[in-house]
Amino acid sequence: MLIPKILTIVFVLAGLALALLLARAAMASRTPRALLRSALQRLDATNRWILIARLTFFILLGAVIGFHSYWAFFADRDQKFNRAKQLDARNRRLAESALKGWVLDRSRKLENALIRYRYDGGLISRDYPLGPAAVHLTGYSDFVFGSGGIESAFRDWLTSPDSTYNELLSPVPVGKDIAVSIDSVLQREVFGLIQATGKPAGAVVLLLPSNEVLAMASAPSFDPLTINNEETWSSMTDQAENAPERSPLVNRALGTLVTGGPSFYFRPGSTFKVFTAAVAIESGMTNEHFTCRGEGFTPPGFARAVRDFGGEVHGSIGFKDAFRVSCNQYFAQLGLKLGRERMAAYARRLGISSNPESEAGRANDLWQTKNAEPKSFAFIFAPPRGRMDLTSKANSFDLALQSFGQGYDDVTVMQMALLAAAAASPDGTLIAPSLQPDLPKKIIGPFVSAHSAAELRSLMKLVVESGTAAGAFSHLRGRISIAGKTGSADRDVMITNADGDPVVDFMDAQGRPHYKYANWTDSWFIGFAPADDPKIAFAVCVENGGQGAKTAAPIAAKICEKAAALGYFNGAQRSNP
Amino acid sequence: MSTTPKRSSPSLNLLVLALVLAIDLIAFVAIVWAAQTKGYYPSKLAALRSLALFVPIIAVFLWLMRRQKFRGEMLIFTAAAFLFGFGLVMQYRLFSDPEYSSRGAQRGKAREEKAQTVRLLNIKTGYDEDKKRFMFGALEAIPEELPRPARPGAVRTFADILFSSTTFIPLGALVAMMGAFVLFKNERIVLWLQRRSLLIGVATMIPFAALVLGFSEEGKFLGQTTPWEPVKIVFLMSFAGVLADSYRHLARTRWGLPPFKYLTPFAVIAAMPVVPFFALSDFGQMLVFFGVYVMLYAVAVRKPAQLAYGLLLIVVLFAGFSVASRAKSGFGIPPRVYFRFYMWTHLWEPPQADTWWWKRDFERYLKAKNLPLNRDDPREVKQRNSEAWSDKVMQQSQGLFGIHDGGAFGAGLGLGFPETVPISDSDFIYAAAAEETGLAGALALLLALGVVVSAGISISLRAPDMFTKLIAAGLTGFLGLQSIVNIGGVLRLLPMTGITLPFVSHGGWSLITSFAMLGILLAISDRNSRAVAEKDAAVPAQFIAVH
């Protein structure tokens, strides 16, 4: 590449010199005025006018040079030009010739890479070895249809020239590689587990204490290489817009779209009792006994009652037991006792807004990131901010429901994983999650005191030992000790057909359609392991998976087994303290 | 005292010709080298053939000096040869690129193959050994070149190269130049041309108009060629002849208007190119004719008032046409012209989808790309409209992007992407040159052009009689104005027109016509020198009626 450039400069400079030589000769052999006048008097006037014509030509030539200079040096000051230049056909050629950086996993081994290039049949193409298992992390990359995930969030880094790139030898840059905190093997396992349920699901696994993301999976999923034609693209984006509950473009672990932008929330169900319990412990209100009745608990001034799952009745029950067996009525009453303001204050510590109208939006500052351009990263990976309604408009019934994870509670799976991580942290602080390994941990703020966190941990240990999750983890007893909380989130879901249109149940007397609803129970489990010296925290949510112990907890058990097998519990894998 | 003006020394001209050959050789080497990094191999034989074209050029130079005993100014020939050489370089660059020289699906494939080759080069130079081993298995397994299916027609034989239009056209142009020179050196022919100018004009016009009106289809005839280009010269000559005869009478005005007896034949001759070129929708040529004719009238008659009348007439006509076209009477300024004017002023902003002159192109785009459109969704309509517009203005916008990327010294020969500019080997050759050789290379081109025009004006100034004076000025005007209109269109100084750059564009008849004009100018230059020499020798000269 160097030689042609040098030769071109020689060509240009020599050409200019020759042209100047010719110009000088032209000037030298100009017709002297005397000759013009003497021999050709009658036509002198015409000659003068011809000279004016020549002058006009040279003025136009000057204008040409001026315009050329504008386009060569100043055109990029015009925003319209810059915008139009994005459609320059040259960009495509540069993109097709350039090599973006590879995205390696935390092991930095090439065979575990998340995004790389492969050589196949004479073609060098961008490859996503984990395919659908990691597409919500990696995103995809197509010249026409854009990119998503890490391809988009880290685009500036991945396209900036690598230090080994030799500008003189190669016409287009080789991009910088990046290592992310993901563990490829674990990622495959987690995705396999949630995909096997056949239901929409999301799961997050964090490495403690830095909250690096070890795995983040979402199902249903899609193969990133299929985004390369108009048909697939428009059908997928239409579906994401009209029927997001079915769309594989949604990252259910984060509540965002692979292509960037917020998506929907989940209701946390009983896993939210971890939060209420934490508030109670910190406030010293753990000595209460409340009664759990068959007819349910009716908040004062209301006619509707709060009931437990399957109509369970626990009678008069204390704090520990209520947590262990996940008693809704207890927590409803506890929440009312704790009060709106207290709950809102602790929710704020977790980044959950208590006024959905004014503080809704995305948690743009949540993640800790080093090599990504902040806005690009936030556009892809900032989850919608968790929210509750603890304003004066929320009545006692609302508060009661929210205390055990129903009602106006809106969270993401990541939010709940962070809650589990906060419980697992020795000093009860909330640490920012990160996609890059080996960054010093970034503390968002305190959640509860170290003492309260310890008590919370022992509660969660109880759940697994003898509580609602005992059955799911019994096979691991003695080998791995895990702590956590099950959740069964109830919600009424409008049934939609494949196009996202609601299905009509019946038409009423006035001719208005009534749509079909179904009652779904999302299966949740959040927790950390090992229970006594936490190394990982996780959250799993399977839509319509039934009770927490039924689907989500067994998945969490397998995740912990795999993490143990990979050496996360015996100190073989470490992150910065 | 000898008042023979100095002329540039023949040895200087010969030296410049040799140096032009040398720098073109350097340029060809650069192109071949750069092509390797993109994975294609331009034909070295074709390069030699192109460079060998300088042999007939130098031969013609020597023929002029020796056999014809040329006494005029050679500078114009040398400057034209410089431009020709630049054109050779750019043609080679473009046509050796497999993407530019193929069509349809082959184009996309060629583009992909080039990109893949650059990727392989990047991997070889930029990746560490671990990655290489991972991708290819072993370091030895990295291919030298990516395996490619054989492209049809990729290998050209010596005969293919020798007997192609790229050889014939320049040779034909030189022959045309020699022929024009010999013809115009002949006093009797020049005399005859002047005497019969009106007749010649009409006699050429009728079959030409018939041909054109019978076959016209948006300006292209027999494929993409424009074989009527040499007719321009004949039209110019008849105009110059009529004007040379009657200019003094035209100057006698009554309230600024010339007497009708002389105005009528003159107006007929002046209007002649308009009709066929209008039918051909070749508005660039019309513009050039108009400019040259106005200039010739102005320098001959020298009455600014008449010029003002003329311009007023034009404005009235134009306004009339434009009103007629807006009223959609089916007659008037064609949508294409509106489009070009709009593109000139608002290149980056698409017009509304239902604008009368844009509607049809928008529909055509949707049909060609097979895109359904939900017309009730204004956002989608706007989006598609924007896409259709970008597609339609692609030639102009891609050219400008290239000029921007070229900067001061260009991206380097063979290293830019002029293949993304449609028809960049003829209409937009300036854009291709600007992208790869930058402002500096373009300056060299413009300087040489300035020398051509300057020398042509010089020839016109020294002409002893009005007829040849006007012909020389007119031909120089053609060359100069056509260049300005072409380059101006590329740079958005003027609206874009489908006109070529003289000497640099080698497309079809453009080169032949340009060299024919050159031949005539050289003949006039030679005549001028002989006239002065004879006058100096005090021998009565056989002038054509000096007025």
Side-chain angles (χ1 to χ4, degrees):
Chain A
M1 210 193 78
L2 182 62
I3 305 262
K5 253 212 141 126
I6 293 178
L7 290 177
T8 306
I9 305 265
V10 170
F11 171 76
V12 165
L13 289 176
L16 258 177
L18 279 177
L20 282 168
L21 188 60
L22 286 172
R24 210 182 67 123
M27 299 271 284
S29 56
R30 253 186 325 192
T31 317
R33 282 295 182 143
L35 176 68
L36 279 178
R37 292 228 175 88
S38 66
L40 313 151
Q41 305 97 320
R42 299 286 198 98
L43 303 178
D44 181 37
T46 296
N47 281 346
R48 266 187 274 124
W49 279 68
I50 291 177
L51 284 173
I52 294 176
R54 181 175 74 179
L55 180 65
T56 317
F57 173 79
F58 279 108
I59 291 175
L60 286 171
L61 206 63
V64 162
I65 296 174
F67 267 67
H68 189 142
S69 309
Y70 167 76
W71 290 111
F73 304 120
F74 302 110
D76 51 9
R77 299 210 183 155
D78 180 6
Q79 279 315 313
K80 285 189 235 150
F81 176 83
N82 289 331
R83 232 178 296 136
K85 194 150 199 306
Q86 288 171 3
L87 298 174
D88 187 356
R90 293 171 181 82
N91 296 338
R92 174 175 216 147
R93 284 156 176 73
L94 289 170
E96 286 176 348
S97 329
L99 291 170
K100 288 191 278 199
W102 291 30
V103 176
L104 304 171
D105 83 336
R106 64 183 301 111
S107 71
R108 291 168 176 83
K109 293 206 192 114
L110 297 177
E111 53 267 24
N112 289 342
L114 290 167
I115 312 178
R116 60 167 194 221
Y117 284 97
R118 68 188 257 249
Y119 175 69
D120 194 22
L123 217 64
I124 299 165
S125 56
R126 196 85 163 145
D127 191 34
Y128 302 89
L130 270 69
V135 67
H136 296 96
L137 278 164
T138 60
Y140 59 93
S141 175
D142 182 88
F143 185 78
V144 177
F145 304 108
S147 57
I150 289 176
E151 288 273 37
S152 177
F154 284 90
R155 183 191 298 125
D156 289 352
W157 178 267
L158 293 171
T159 52
S160 61
D162 191 40
S163 56
T164 60
Y165 161 64
N166 189 338
E167 201 180 314
L168 294 175
L169 290 179
S170 170
V172 210
V174 174
K176 286 200 258 234
D177 293 343
I178 197 163
V180 292
S181 56
I182 303 291
D183 183 319
S184 283
V185 181
L186 188 61
Q187 175 77 24
R188 275 191 219 261
E189 176 79 10
V190 172
F191 177 75
L193 289 169
I194 61 173
Q195 193 193 39
T197 63
K199 301 191 161 82
V204 178
V205 181
L206 302 171
L207 180 67
L208 300 172
S210 57
N211 278 3
E212 292 168 22
V213 180
L214 286 177
M216 179 160 71
S218 172
S221 185
F222 64 98
D223 187 336
L225 295 174
T226 57
I227 305 246
N228 58 6
N229 65 71
E230 177 75 35
E231 225 179 288
T232 314
W233 172 251
S234 29
S235 73
M236 284 188 84
T237 41
D238 283 344
Q239 186 186 43
E241 203 174 305
N242 302 328
E245 62 279 357
R246 289 169 186 263
S247 167
L249 283 182
V250 174
N251 181 347
R252 279 162 172 72
L254 206 53
T256 57
L257 290 167
V258 171
T259 47
S263 186
F264 49 77
Y265 292 103
F266 286 118
R267 200 170 282 161
S270 305
T271 52
F272 208 66
K273 288 174 184 154
V274 172
F275 171 76
T276 317
V279 179
I281 295 171
E282 187 86 338
S283 316
M285 292 191 188
T286 58
N287 300 320
E288 301 280 330
H289 274 66
F290 292 109
T291 320
C292 172
R293 296 192 172 81
E295 57 270 26
F297 163 70
T298 313
F302 278 85
R304 292 173 62 186
V306 164
R307 289 196 169 78
D308 272 275
F309 195 86
E312 268 177 50
V313 178
H314 302 109
S316 174
I317 189 170
F319 182 65
K320 268 210 179 96
D321 285 319
F323 190 86
R324 193 170 55 84
V325 304
S326 199
C327 176
N328 292 348
Q329 294 183 39
Y330 181 95
F331 276 89
Q333 295 171 74
L334 179 61
L336 286 174
K337 182 113 192 279
L338 290 169
R340 182 178 300 145
E341 284 83 28
R342 218 193 300 257
M343 296 279 269
Y346 281 95
R348 202 170 8 258
R349 290 190 185 193
L350 278 181
I352 296 178
S353 93
S354 45
N355 184 345
E357 260 145 66
S358 72
E359 292 167 50
R362 302 178 74 183
N364 288 321
D365 298 321
L366 177 67
W367 291 84
Q368 183 195 21
T369 176
K370 188 171 153 204
N371 298 121
E373 201 274 310
K375 280 212 207 83
S376 310
F377 189 88
F379 179 67
I380 301 288
F381 286 118
R385 212 183 287 282
R387 38 178 212 194
M388 304 170 69
D389 189 355
L390 296 171
T391 59
S392 47
K393 278 199 260 161
N395 54 42
S396 316
F397 189 70
D398 294 326
L399 181 56
L401 283 179
Q402 288 177 89
S403 306
F404 59 92
Q406 299 283 152
Y408 289 113
D409 283 337
D410 282 329
V411 296
T412 59
V413 177
M414 170 61 87
Q415 178 83 69
M416 297 313 288
L418 287 172
L419 173 60
S425 90
D427 45 8
T429 52
L430 180 65
I431 312 287
S434 169
L435 270 180
Q436 289 185 257
D438 303 328
L439 297 178
K441 71 181 182 189
K442 172 181 153 194
I443 300 175
I444 295 180
F447 176 49
V448 291
S449 69
H451 185 83
S452 310
E455 208 176 311
L456 194 55
R457 283 198 286 280
S458 63
L459 272 183
M460 291 168 83
K461 205 167 150 189
L462 265 182
V463 171
V464 173
E465 280 175 358
S466 53
T468 50
F473 292 94
S474 56
H475 64 288
L476 294 174
R477 200 163 292 156
R479 285 200 289 134
I480 311 170
S481 68
I482 298 162
K485 180 75 191 74
T486 54
S488 316
D490 268 327
R491 54 185 173 124
D492 284 327
V493 174
M494 189 185 290
I495 298 182
T496 57
N497 61 18
D499 293 326
D501 297 322
V503 177
V504 177
D505 196 8
F506 63 91
M507 307 288 274
D508 65 12
Q510 283 92 0
R512 284 190 305 239
H514 285 246
Y515 300 106
K516 273 196 179 156
Y517 277 84
N519 185 271
W520 277 18
T521 307
D522 295 337
S523 176
W524 281 86
F525 191 82
I526 73 175
F528 50 87
D532 299 310
D533 182 18
K535 294 282 194 291
I536 66 169
F538 47 80
V540 180
C541 169
V542 181
E543 292 185 41
N544 204 19
Q547 281 187 287
K550 181 165 160 220
T551 317
I555 290 178
K558 291 214 181 68
I559 291 176
C560 292
E561 272 183 284
K562 189 69 178 179
L566 290 172
Y568 283 98
F569 295 163
N570 56 14
Q573 309 243 21
R574 242 173 238 294
S575 71
N576 280 343
Chain B
M1 180 186 92
S2 167
T3 50
T4 315
K6 275 192 305 176
R7 64 170 190 163
S8 62
S9 87
S11 17
L12 175 71
N13 282 287
L14 203 52
L15 175 66
V16 171
L17 281 176
L19 286 174
V20 169
L21 171 60
I23 66 173
D24 285 352
L25 174 65
I26 292 174
F28 276 95
V29 170
I31 292 171
V32 171
W33 203 289
Q36 283 172 13
T37 63
K38 289 196 186 169
Y40 60 95
Y41 301 95
S43 160
K44 297 203 179 93
L45 222 54
L48 280 170
R49 179 274 316 270
S50 293
L51 287 169
L53 284 170
F54 275 89
V55 170
I57 287 180
I58 293 181
V60 167
F61 179 88
L62 293 171
W63 171 81
L64 275 172
M65 297 305 305
R66 303 269 161 78
R67 287 297 295 275
Q68 299 293 329
K69 300 203 181 60
F70 184 75
R71 303 251 212 92
E73 179 51 80
M74 273 314 261
L75 212 51
I76 192 174
F77 177 78
T78 315
F82 179 93
L83 291 172
F84 173 79
F86 208 124
L88 268 182
V89 167
M90 292 318 298
Q91 309 285 318
Y92 185 69
R93 158 64 183 97
L94 286 163
F95 282 112
S96 63
D97 188 330
E99 188 186 339
Y100 191 79
S101 53
S102 49
R103 296 264 163 272
Q106 284 297 320
R107 265 207 150 167
K109 271 218 197 92
R111 187 196 78 231
E112 230 176 62
E113 285 175 6
K114 278 195 283 181
Q116 287 286 316
T117 307
V118 174
R119 271 195 174 167
L120 185 64
L121 176 69
N122 276 338
I123 288 176
K124 284 193 193 150
T125 56
Y127 272 12
D128 59 31
E129 288 190 1
D130 291 328
K131 270 198 191 152
K132 285 181 190 168
R133 274 200 207 95
F134 182 74
M135 278 184 76
F136 294 97
L139 287 177
E140 301 75 43
I142 303 178
E144 266 307 305
E145 266 174 42
L146 294 170
R148 296 261 170 267
R151 208 180 309 116
V155 178
R156 294 157 70 205
T157 66
F158 180 68
D160 284 335
I161 291 173
L162 199 61
F163 296 111
S164 69
S165 62
T166 326
T167 316
F168 292 148
I169 291 179
L171 289 177
L174 285 172
V175 166
M177 181 184 115
M178 295 194 294
F181 179 81
V182 165
L183 272 176
F184 249 73
K185 239 186 101 167
N186 187 324
E187 286 293 338
R188 289 223 306 271
I189 292 183
V190 175
L191 240 165
W192 177 80
L193 277 172
Q194 188 181 358
R195 290 245 162 82
R196 305 271 174 258
S197 37
L198 186 55
L199 188 64
I200 289 170
V202 172
T204 316
M205 159 74 164
I206 293 180
F208 176 55
L211 208 64
V212 153
L213 290 170
F215 290 96
S216 73
E217 211 197 300
E218 277 213 52
K220 296 305 172 199
F221 177 79
L222 291 179
Q224 290 281 320
T225 62
T226 51
W228 51 76
E229 290 225 26
V231 156
K232 290 193 313 200
I233 301 177
V234 178
F235 279 156
L236 176 71
M237 272 189 235
S238 66
F239 182 81
V242 171
L243 190 56
D245 269 342
S246 50
Y247 78 97
R248 284 200 316 167
H249 306 291
L250 290 171
R252 282 193 223 111
T253 60
R254 214 170 290 168
W255 304 305
L257 282 173
F260 282 123
K261 183 166 98 167
Y262 295 98
L263 185 61
T264 321
F266 173 78
V268 166
I269 286 288
M272 274 205 303
V274 174
V275 173
F277 283 115
F278 191 88
L280 288 169
S281 293
D282 198 341
F283 297 106
Q285 292 289 10
M286 275 180 59
L287 185 63
V288 171
F289 262 106
F290 173 70
V292 169
Y293 279 12
V294 164
M295 177 193 77
L296 290 180
Y297 190 88
V299 305
V301 175
R302 288 167 282 118
K303 287 277 189 248
Q306 292 192 15
L307 255 181
Y309 267 118
L311 284 170
L312 187 65
L313 182 67
I314 301 294
V315 166
V316 164
L317 276 174
F318 198 76
F321 270 119
S322 129
V323 164
S325 53
R326 270 182 216 271
K328 293 170 207 158
S329 57
F331 174 81
I333 299 180
R336 230 165 118 236
V337 178
Y338 263 96
F339 161 68
R340 292 269 169 86
F341 266 92
Y342 186 88
M343 186 171 72
W344 179 39
T345 47
H346 296 91
L347 178 57
W348 312 122
E349 295 144 30
Q352 298 282 4
D354 50 7
T355 322
W356 70 273
W357 52 266
W358 167 240
K359 263 200 297 229
R360 215 178 42 164
D361 291 314
F362 182 38
E363 298 300 326
R364 236 185 254 165
Y365 173 80
L366 290 175
K367 200 179 288 175
K369 300 272 175 176
N370 215 353
L371 290 172
L373 182 63
N374 175 10
R375 276 162 218 270
D376 300 320
D377 181 1
R379 213 181 44 166
E380 196 180 326
V381 171
K382 194 167 163 209
Q383 168 74 14
R384 292 271 179 246
N385 190 38
S386 193
E387 280 171 25
W389 178 252
S390 300
D391 185 74
K392 186 84 178 162
V393 301
M394 188 185 296
Q395 191 179 28
Q396 174 103 81
S397 57
Q398 287 294 139
L400 291 173
F401 296 147
I403 295 175
H404 178 77
D405 285 349
F409 285 98
L413 285 162
L415 299 173
F417 297 99
E419 64 268 25
T420 60
V421 183
I423 321 179
S424 48
D425 68 290
S426 59
D427 290 3
F428 265 64
I429 199 165
Y430 187 82
E435 180 174 357
E436 300 214 314
T437 60
L439 177 61
L443 266 176
L445 198 156
L446 292 171
L447 257 175
L449 192 64
V451 170
V452 167
V453 167
S454 197
I457 295 282
S458 216
I459 293 172
S460 173
L461 287 174
R462 295 182 199 184
D465 65 284
M466 192 51 116
F467 181 53
T468 49
K469 189 183 286 289
L470 286 177
I471 291 182
L475 291 175
T476 312
F478 265 133
L479 292 173
L481 193 56
Q482 186 166 337
S483 306
I484 294 285
V485 168
N486 172 286
I487 299 176
V490 170
L491 292 174
R492 253 179 105 195
L493 171 63
L494 295 167
M496 202 179 98
T497 55
I499 211 172
T500 56
L501 189 57
F503 298 114
V504 189
S505 301
H506 290 199
W509 296 81
S510 160
L511 195 65
I512 294 175
T513 314
S514 309
F515 269 95
M517 292 186 187
L518 184 63
I520 299 176
L521 284 166
L522 285 169
I524 298 178
S525 176
D526 187 57
R527 261 179 107 252
N528 294 351
S529 311
R530 286 180 202 283
V532 172
E534 281 164 11
K535 195 167 164 101
D536 277 353
V539 167
Q542 301 292 326
F543 279 173
I544 297 165
V546 174
H547 301 293

